[in-house]
Amino acid sequence: MGLGYIGLPTAAMFAVNGIQTLGVDVNPQVIEILQRGELHIQEPGLRTAVEAAIKSGNLRVSSKPAEADAFIIAVPTPFYEDKYGEYNGRKYKLADMRAVTSATEAITPSLRKGNLVVLESTSPPRTTIDIVAPILEKSGLKAGEDFHLAYSPERVLPGQILRELLENARVIGGTTPEGAQAGRDLYSVFVKGEIITTDATTAEMVKLMENTYRDVNIAIANEFSRLADRFGVDVWKAISIANLHPRVKILRPGPGVGGHCISVDPWFFVEAAPDLAALIYQTRQVNDAQPHFALDLVRRAAGSLKGRKVAALGLAFKEDVDDLRESPAVELAALLQKEGALVKAFEPHKPAARFDGFETVLTLEEAWRDADVIVLLVGHAEFKGLEARQVAGQTPARILVDMRGVLNREAWQAAGFRVFTLGVGSTADD
Ligand code: SAJ
C-alpha cells in the first residue's frame, strides 16, 4: 500500500525475489505512469529495479488492494498545515495519520485468517496498537490471534535506498512474538542485513529515536556555527578537531534541516508527550531558525539585500538528491527574494522546477551571468568541483557565500572573491 520512495522499491525487491507483488496506490496518475513503464520518482537504481520486477512478471500495480498473504503499509505521514497543538506556550505540529487509516481501512475487507499486516510508515508511538489494530479488527478477526500485526520502519537514506533496503539492519516489532517472527520470515526474502525482532511500540520508538538523535546532533552543530561566527572561529575546523576525540561525532552545520524525516519525526514525540519532550522541541526551534541565520549571513556578506542579484546554487533538501520538498535551500531562496534580493536559483537535479517566491533557471551560467552574489545552498558534487577561476570568468559577482563549508576558501579568494562561509567568524584566519 503506497508506491512512493519506500513502497515502490520495496515492492520491486519482493518481486525480483520471486514474490508475487501487487503495488497499490490511491493516486491514479502514479498507477498510470507505472503502467506505461515509467517512474514518477527519481532514485538511483530504481528504474533498473522496477524494470526487472515488471519483467519478472511478479510485480503488478493497481489502485485497489486484493487478497494477499501479507500487506505492507508504506504511505506518508505528513503534518497538518493548519492545525497545531499547544503545551505551555510551545506550539507543536500534529501528525496527519489519514493516509495510514485509509490504507488500513482499504485492506480490512481483504484480510483473512493467518495474514500478516506490517506498518512501515513513520508514526507516533503506539500507532500500531492504538490505531491500526482496531481498524483491522473491524473485519471480525483479532490481531495477534487471527492475523499477525507488526511495525517495521524503513530506515533507508534517500539517494541510496536500493542498497540500504537490502543491507541495513531491519527492526521488526510485532504486537506478539509470532507477529514479529512472521515479519522476519517475510523480509528475509531480500534483507541481507541483520533482522532484529522486538515489540511494535519499541520498533516505532526506535525509528523516531534515530532521526531525533540526528536532529539534535545537527542542532548542536548549527548552534556551534552561530557561536563560532560570534567568536571569530572557523566552526568546520573546530568540529573536525573535536571529532578526533574517539567519543565525539558532531555532524555538519548548514542552512537548515529538511527532508521528510529528520525535520519531521521529532515532532511525533513532541505531539505524543509535549510535557516530556522539551529538548526535542528546542532542537526543532534551533534547526527551523537556521535559514534565518543563513539569511543574515548573506545580508552581512552583500551589505544589503535590496536589489542585489543573487545566484542560488542548489535547491534540494540535501546534496546529490533531486528531492526539493521540505528543503531549507528553497526556504532560504524565498527568504532572500522576500527581503528584496533578486534570486536566480539553479538546481542541477531538477532544473525545470518552478517556485512562487523566486526565479529558477536552467543552467549555472544563467544563474550567475549577471549576479552580484553567489550563494551555495546545497553541497552537490557538481558544485564541489567548481573551478573558482573559471567561475570568475563567467560572472561579475565577487562575493561568495558558502552555506555548506564545501568550497575551498583560498582558491576562491585567489580568484578574486570575498568568501563568507557559514560558521566562520570574520576574524577566523583566512
Ligand atoms: N544535514 C545537515 N548536517 C548534517 C547532516 C544532514 O545539515 O551533518 C541536513 C541535510 O542537509 C538535510 C537534513 O539534514 O536537510 C536531513 O538529511 P539526512 O541525510 O540527515 O537525512 P534524510 O532525511 O535524508 O534521511 C534520514 C536517515 N536517518 C538517519 O540517518 C538517522 C535515513 O536513514 C532514514 O531512513 C530517513 O531519515 C527516514 O526516512 O526516516
Side-chain angles (χ1 to χ4, degrees):
M1 307 295 293
L3 293 174
Y5 280 94
I6 301 302
L8 183 59
T10 304
M13 284 300 124
F14 277 116
V16 294
N17 283 282
I19 305 287
Q20 277 184 37
T21 310
L22 182 66
V24 182
D25 203 291
V26 290
N27 184 343
Q29 256 177 316
V30 168
I31 298 300
E32 196 238 313
I33 291 170
L34 290 169
Q35 275 169 344
R36 253 193 282 142
E38 284 166 33
L39 289 188
H40 59 295
I41 46 180
Q42 259 193 47
E43 170 68 26
L46 186 60
R47 178 168 296 278
T48 318
V50 172
E51 276 169 7
I54 289 171
K55 211 164 146 219
S56 74
N58 288 327
L59 179 63
R60 288 180 301 120
V61 292
S62 166
S63 55
K64 291 215 166 52
E67 283 188 27
D69 297 313
F71 298 88
I72 293 178
I73 302 169
V75 294
T77 45
F79 289 112
Y80 284 105
E81 297 284 341
D82 50 355
K83 285 192 217 173
Y84 295 90
E86 195 171 330
Y87 177 83
N88 262 358
R90 294 188 214 139
K91 206 170 156 195
Y92 57 83
K93 300 191 181 192
L94 296 174
D96 175 355
M97 300 302 288
R98 284 176 298 181
V100 169
T101 52
S102 70
T104 310
E105 280 159 4
I107 60 181
T108 302
S110 307
L111 192 66
R112 299 289 174 264
K113 241 182 155 107
N115 283 174
L116 164 68
V117 180
V118 184
L119 175 65
E120 282 204 18
S121 311
T122 305
S123 302
R126 300 189 61 86
T127 297
T128 309
I129 293 179
D130 290 345
I131 295 180
V132 175
I135 297 175
L136 294 172
E137 288 180 343
K138 285 186 190 152
S139 63
L141 301 175
K142 219 152 165 40
E145 289 176 22
D146 301 314
F147 66 94
H148 298 301
L149 179 58
Y151 180 78
S152 182
E154 56 77 15
R155 299 150 95 193
V156 292
L157 200 67
Q160 303 185 26
I161 292 179
L162 274 308
R163 185 175 61 76
E164 292 209 357
L165 260 186
L166 271 89
E167 291 176 6
N168 284 6
R170 179 142 209 142
V171 55
I172 300 177
T175 60
T176 57
E178 295 75 24
Q181 184 56 44
R184 178 197 288 277
D185 292 345
L186 177 65
Y187 284 97
S188 57
V189 164
F190 70 81
V191 172
K192 305 266 181 296
E194 189 184 350
I195 297 182
I196 302 106
T197 50
T198 181
D199 65 89
T201 309
T202 300
E204 289 166 346
M205 203 161 154
V206 164
K207 165 72 187 189
L208 300 180
M209 282 165 57
E210 291 164 355
N211 283 346
T212 301
Y213 164 78
R214 210 166 154 80
D215 198 34
V216 174
N217 195 332
I218 300 168
I220 197 77
N222 282 337
E223 196 155 287
F224 287 154
S225 75
R226 302 178 196 179
L227 295 170
D229 183 287
R230 171 156 318 163
F231 299 137
V233 165
D234 177 337
V235 78
W236 306 90
K237 264 188 210 160
I239 288 177
S240 71
I241 300 169
N243 282 351
L244 293 174
H245 187 289
R247 286 173 296 283
V248 173
K249 175 82 185 78
I250 304 163
L251 291 173
R252 298 168 68 85
V257 173
H260 271 251
C261 315
I262 309 278
S263 61
V264 172
D265 297 2
W267 287 115
F268 290 115
F269 275 138
V270 178
E271 175 181 1
D275 54 328
L276 299 177
L279 170 67
I280 301 174
Y281 174 83
Q282 198 52 38
T283 291
R284 289 277 74 246
Q285 300 301 109
V286 169
N287 285 340
D288 278 349
Q290 191 71 357
H292 293 271
F293 174 69
L295 172 74
D296 190 53
L297 177 63
V298 184
R299 186 182 285 119
R300 281 185 280 152
S304 127
L305 293 174
K306 291 263 168 314
R308 304 307 295 275
K309 297 182 190 129
V310 173
L313 274 45
L315 291 171
F317 86 88
K318 68 172 186 179
E319 65 277 8
D320 305 327
V321 301
D322 75 324
D323 195 339
L324 312 185
R325 300 168 302 169
E326 312 285 339
S327 171
V330 171
E331 184 181 346
L332 184 51
L335 277 173
L336 285 163
Q337 180 84 21
K338 201 169 141 229
E339 295 294 312
L342 306 167
V343 174
K344 285 190 178 165
F346 172 64
E347 170 46 61
H349 295 265
K350 252 191 198 155
R354 294 281 169 271
F355 292 89
D356 277 346
F358 56 90
E359 186 184 345
T360 51
V361 292
L362 295 174
T363 62
L364 259 180
E365 291 67 29
E366 250 181 284
W368 63 38
R369 194 159 44 215
D370 57 356
D372 300 314
V373 186
I374 298 176
V375 183
L376 179 125
L377 296 174
V378 187
H380 287 314
E382 42 273 83
F383 298 152
K384 285 184 187 165
L386 285 174
E387 281 291 335
R389 283 189 192 286
Q390 239 176 323
V391 178
Q394 298 178 7
T395 175
R398 286 297 175 266
I399 301 171
L400 171 77
V401 188
D402 176 1
M403 297 295 178
R404 297 283 178 175
V406 293
L407 296 177
N408 182 305
R409 258 213 305 280
E410 290 75 29
W412 285 77
Q413 280 165 343
F417 288 87
R418 289 174 62 217
V419 181
F420 297 79
T421 308
L422 180 117
V424 178
S426 54
T427 56
D429 62 0
D430 286 332

